[in-house]
């Protein structure tokens, strides 16, 4: 059974003067358990709409969304899911400890478990010192980290994160990536939306690109990165010499070039693949999508 | 749902609106001395002032807490984290929020009732009344007044479930309160010779509102408390049942509408 299943998902919002805005257009997607899936798209592409349908906040005009086989419209679908909304907001009169206790109780966790997990998570997310302060006094980054804490406290099977790195400093971003990789290692499914391609490169198994409500492509990130190699940059020198040479070659020349290097007795100091990064891939999809519309 | 009740109660306790209302409750201290200015029927005036002040404070609570509680959660997107991030259903959320606010209104009514009794007792000690005071009547009057506002909170919640701005929950609740307090008088007027001369359309409209809007005058037991008049247990039971059924209808509608609402 897939962790996330979107079948023919379509969402039409009523616009001004009777106009209809198609936010999602027959979206089909399956994400298995144990996979980290990056949902990439520019602003207004339909990422948050998809996630809101998955979390039962809005209803699809057509199609179905399921979480571990349970329709997303049912509250019990969220028993196995953790959700971080985009720009999260929490009862600002509570403090972090009170809020996590409330969340834990909502999932029927016992008091001891909630207290133990809250302590670990709050320490990990550097919120321990601020745990007794009202949330209204938190910075944007702290609120975002509390949102991540909410997602982790009940240890769900599926993690749906809408722009999880938003508002975080580099340390916070690195921490979130680390947490995502740990979840992946634990066999959990992580589905996160972003428009930052380097985040996808760092943690995702697969990436889906959505543009104007249509899923343009779904690719393995590893394959994509391999396909994107355009050449190699090599730094080499004769043994004992201080001056080195630099060469840039095409991928198909690598085998011959390396054989020649070793035959001549040179040593390789650096071998660096040159590749189009995910951003280039993403931009090509976006420009392709735009030109198809014209 | 219990968790939502607790969180709501906690939120109201820490709300600035409540703190402001608490300050106004300090006016109870002046009731005994203010009643003395009447020179006669001092305890009766003390009861009138106490019940009126209690009613006014409960009205403020019902309108501002009832009208903003759910609306604020949607507006500030707290609902996204809670309804998207937990298995709490929308109906449980509405009922939990409503129960939290109503519980708070009842708890405040109890507190104000105790303050009222103290103020009336001081006035009665200084100026003994001609007729014995019926303390139970005063407490029952406070309870039914609170019940009226619990019903008004249900109206505010119903309006909050469909509104994207606070205008409808706040002003709609105030309008419902004013109209609901007047419908009995309008109905009584329709039964008079002058009322019978009104056009059929006006009469039909008045009757429509009489039956559709909550009849708040049924909860007014001030006269029984002030003049120590006996209460009709059957009438009280009927009023209680009326409030229970009306609240059940309003909350069922509110839950249904909120379940269908898109939280964008």
């Amino acid at each position: 059974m897939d962790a996330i299943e979107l079948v023919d998902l379509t969402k039409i919002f009523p616009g001004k003067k009777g106009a209809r805005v198609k936010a999602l257009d027959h979206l089909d997607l399956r994400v298995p358990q144990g996979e980290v899936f990056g949902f990439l798209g520019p602003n207004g592409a339909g990422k948050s709409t998809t996630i809101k349908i998955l979390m039962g906040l809005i209803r699809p005009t057509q199609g179905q969304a399921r979480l571990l086989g349970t329709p997303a419209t049912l509250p019990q679908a969220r028993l196995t899911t953790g959700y971080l909304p985009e720009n999260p907001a929490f009862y600002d009169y509570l403090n972090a400890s009170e809020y996590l206790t409330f969340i834990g109780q909502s999932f029927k966790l016992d008091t001891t478990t909630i207290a133990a997990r809250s302590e670990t998570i709050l320490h990990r997310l550097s919120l321990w010192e601020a745990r007794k302060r009202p949330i209204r006094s938190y910075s944007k980054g702290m609120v975002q980290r509390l949102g991540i804490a909410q997602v982790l406290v009940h240890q769900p099977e599926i993690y749906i994160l809408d722009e999880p790195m938003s508002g975080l400093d580099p340390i916070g971003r690195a921490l979130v990536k680390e947490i995502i990789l740990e979840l992946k290692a634990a066999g959990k499914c992580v589905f996160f939306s972003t428009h930052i391609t380097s985040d996808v490169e760092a943690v995702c198994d697969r990436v889906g690109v959505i543009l104007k409500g249509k899923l343009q492509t779904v690719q393995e990130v590893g394959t994509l990165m391999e396909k994107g190699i355009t050449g190699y940059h090599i730094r080499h020198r004769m043994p004992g010499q201080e001056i080195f040479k630099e060469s840039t070659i095409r991928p198909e020349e690598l085998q011959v070039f390396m054989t020649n290097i070793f035959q001549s007795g040179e040593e390789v100091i650096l071998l660096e693949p040159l590749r189009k990064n995910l951003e280039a891939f993403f931009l090509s999809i976006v420009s392709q999508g735009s030109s198809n519309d014209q | 749902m219990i968790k939502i009740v607790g969180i709501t109660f906690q939120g109201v306790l820490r709300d600035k609106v409540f703190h402001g209302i608490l300050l106004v409750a300090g006016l109870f201290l002046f009731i005994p001395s203010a009643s003395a200015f009447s020179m006669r029927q001092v305890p009766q005036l003390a009861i009138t002032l106490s019940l009126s002040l209690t009613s006014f404070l409960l009205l403020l609570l019902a309108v501002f807490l009832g009208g903003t509680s759910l609306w604020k959660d949607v507006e500030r997107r707290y609902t996204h984290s809670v309804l998207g991030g937990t298995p709490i259903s929308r109906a449980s959320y509405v009922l939990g929020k409503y129960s939290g606010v109503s519980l708070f209104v009842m708890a405040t009514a109890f507190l104000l009732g105790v303050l009222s009794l103290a103020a009336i007792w001081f006035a009665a000690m200084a100026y003994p009344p001609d007729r014995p005071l019926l303390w139970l009547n005063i407490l029952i009057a406070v309870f039914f007044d609170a019940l009226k506002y619990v019903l008004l909170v249900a109206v505010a919640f119903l309006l909050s479930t469909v509104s994207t701005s606070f205008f409808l929950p706040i002003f709609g609740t105030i309008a419902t309160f004013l109209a609901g307090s007047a419908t009995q008088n309008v109905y009584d007027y329709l039964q008079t010779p002058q009322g019978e001369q009104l056009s059929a359309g006006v009469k039909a409209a008045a009757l429509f509102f009489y039956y559709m809007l909550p009849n708040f005058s049924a909860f007014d037991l001030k006269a029984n408390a002030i003049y120590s008049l006996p209460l009709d247990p059957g009438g009280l039971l009927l009023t209680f049942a009326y409030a229970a059924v009306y609240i059940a209808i309003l909350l069922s509608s509110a839950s249904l509408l909120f379940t269908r609402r898109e939280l964008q």
Side-chain angles (χ1 to χ4, degrees):
Chain A
M1 184 191 306
D2 289 313
I4 296 169
E5 207 179 336
L6 304 175
V7 184
D8 195 27
L9 207 62
T10 302
K11 179 66 186 175
I12 299 169
F13 287 112
K16 285 179 182 170
K17 296 179 182 174
R20 288 151 59 89
V21 180
K22 202 177 234 185
L24 288 180
D25 194 356
H26 302 286
L27 194 125
D28 284 293
L29 179 67
R30 285 166 195 275
V31 183
Q33 193 61 286
E35 181 174 275
V36 178
F37 189 90
F39 202 36
L40 204 58
N43 293 332
K47 303 186 295 290
S48 290
T49 301
T50 308
I51 287 179
K52 281 176 188 165
I53 289 174
L54 267 174
M55 301 323 299
L57 294 170
I58 57 177
R59 277 169 287 115
T61 311
Q62 188 184 316
Q64 280 195 329
R66 283 188 280 266
L67 295 163
L68 284 172
T70 309
T73 45
L74 301 176
Q76 52 266 40
R78 299 192 290 277
L79 275 170
T80 49
T81 311
Y83 168 53
L84 171 71
E86 185 183 10
N87 300 322
F90 311 105
Y91 298 119
D92 61 2
Y93 52 84
L94 297 180
N95 61 42
S97 284
E98 289 169 337
Y99 187 71
L100 290 186
T101 303
F102 162 66
I103 293 296
Q105 286 172 341
S106 304
F107 284 94
K108 301 194 178 354
L109 299 180
D110 62 78
T111 319
T112 321
T113 309
I114 295 171
R117 286 188 192 168
S118 295
E119 187 176 343
T120 311
I121 293 166
L122 290 172
H123 272 299
R124 179 104 198 257
L125 292 161
S126 309
L127 287 172
W128 181 250
E129 301 298 323
R131 71 191 186 283
K132 297 288 181 195
R133 266 170 47 194
I135 297 172
R136 69 165 67 97
S137 69
Y138 284 13
S139 68
K140 191 176 181 233
M142 289 167 85
V143 171
Q144 187 75 7
R145 277 182 276 147
L146 179 60
I148 293 160
Q150 163 175 351
V151 168
L152 297 172
V153 79
H154 61 289
Q155 298 182 345
E157 292 303 311
I158 306 170
Y159 295 77
I160 295 178
L161 316 173
D162 200 350
E163 307 276 2
M165 320 288 184
S166 167
L168 293 176
D169 58 22
I171 300 166
R173 294 167 74 92
L175 179 62
V176 171
K177 285 178 198 170
E178 194 181 298
I179 289 171
I180 291 175
L181 290 173
E182 282 173 14
L183 293 172
K184 180 185 167 182
K188 311 282 187 176
C189 170
V190 182
F191 179 96
F192 77 90
S193 75
T194 184
H195 51 258
I196 302 166
T197 50
S198 59
D199 294 342
V200 175
E201 267 182 46
V203 293
C204 289
D205 297 310
R206 282 197 305 158
V207 59
V209 179
I210 185 170
L211 192 65
K212 294 178 182 169
K214 282 186 182 173
L215 190 62
Q216 304 291 319
T217 181
V218 176
Q219 300 271 347
E220 299 272 345
V221 173
T223 315
L224 211 58
M225 300 309 289
E226 278 169 31
K227 268 200 272 181
I229 295 177
T230 55
Y232 293 93
H233 176 75
I234 301 159
R235 194 177 290 170
H236 50 103
R237 68 179 171 196
M238 289 301 287
Q241 286 189 357
E242 280 193 14
I243 300 165
F244 52 77
K245 290 183 264 182
E246 292 198 70
S247 311
T248 301
I249 58 166
R250 291 198 299 275
E252 61 272 17
E253 293 169 347
L254 181 67
Q255 194 71 38
V256 176
F257 185 85
M258 292 306 284
T259 310
N260 292 340
I261 286 272
F262 290 126
Q263 280 176 354
S264 64
E266 284 188 87
E267 61 180 7
V268 175
I269 300 165
L270 176 80
L271 172 63
E272 191 177 38
L274 301 174
R275 60 183 163 203
K276 281 203 291 185
N277 58 15
L278 198 60
E279 187 167 86
F281 165 72
F282 172 60
L283 291 174
S284 71
I285 297 278
V286 171
S287 61
Q288 205 179 329
S290 303
S291 59
N292 286 348
D293 284 345
Q294 286 167 2
Chain B
M1 193 179 102
I2 304 291
K3 270 80 71 182
I4 297 290
V5 177
I7 285 282
T8 307
F9 198 87
Q10 215 171 342
V12 177
L13 262 181
R14 297 177 187 179
D15 198 303
K16 283 177 188 157
V17 173
F18 171 63
H19 297 157
I21 289 169
L22 263 191
L23 282 177
V24 181
L27 287 175
F28 272 104
L29 295 171
F30 301 102
I31 285 178
S33 47
S35 306
F37 289 128
S38 72
M39 306 296 283
R40 45 184 246 175
Q41 293 189 318
V42 174
Q44 279 75 18
L45 187 59
I47 297 171
T48 309
L49 289 176
S50 300
L51 293 184
S52 299
L53 182 57
T54 300
S55 194
F56 176 66
L57 292 173
L58 292 179
L59 173 64
L60 291 181
L61 276 181
V63 169
F64 289 106
L65 294 182
T68 60
S69 187
L70 188 63
W71 168 79
K72 200 161 63 178
D73 284 9
V74 176
E75 173 67 18
R76 294 188 181 172
R77 295 161 50 93
Y78 299 156
T79 43
H80 283 63
S81 308
V82 175
L83 293 173
T86 70
I88 296 170
S89 70
R90 304 255 187 122
S92 295
Y93 194 79
V94 170
L95 296 179
K97 293 290 292 182
Y98 172 77
S99 304
V101 173
S102 298
L103 198 66
F104 195 83
V105 168
M106 279 295 182
T108 311
F110 177 77
L111 185 75
L112 296 177
V114 171
L115 287 174
S116 297
L117 291 184
I120 295 162
W121 184 79
F122 274 115
M125 287 299 285
Y127 302 92
D130 300 334
R131 302 180 62 175
L133 296 180
L134 294 180
W135 297 102
L136 187 63
N137 276 20
I138 297 169
L139 282 177
I140 290 174
V142 172
F143 172 76
F144 273 86
D145 206 36
L147 192 61
K148 173 174 78 179
Y149 292 116
V150 165
L151 171 55
L152 190 65
V153 171
V155 173
F157 265 70
L158 177 66
L159 298 176
S160 298
T161 54
V162 290
S163 178
T164 50
S165 109
F166 71 93
F167 281 102
L168 183 62
I170 296 284
F171 295 110
T173 306
I174 294 172
T176 306
F177 175 73
L178 295 175
S181 303
T183 50
Q184 186 62 51
N185 290 339
V186 173
Y187 181 80
D188 292 343
Y189 178 75
L190 289 179
Q191 313 305 316
T192 63
Q194 293 93 332
E196 281 174 2
Q197 287 171 8
L198 291 169
S199 70
V202 173
K203 276 192 213 170
L207 281 176
F208 173 79
F209 286 117
Y210 176 72
Y211 288 115
M212 287 304 291
L213 291 173
N215 185 346
F216 290 125
S217 53
F219 297 86
D220 188 359
L221 302 174
K222 282 195 186 74
N224 301 69
I226 295 164
Y227 301 110
S228 302
L229 302 174
L231 292 165
D232 170 23
L236 294 182
L237 200 65
L238 200 65
T239 306
F240 187 83
Y242 170 76
V245 170
Y246 213 115
I247 288 169
I249 293 169
L250 288 173
L251 290 183
S252 304
S253 312
S255 301
L256 197 71
L257 289 169
F258 194 61
T259 301
R260 296 190 59 77
R261 181 167 174 177
E262 303 241 293
L263 297 171
Q264 290 185 35

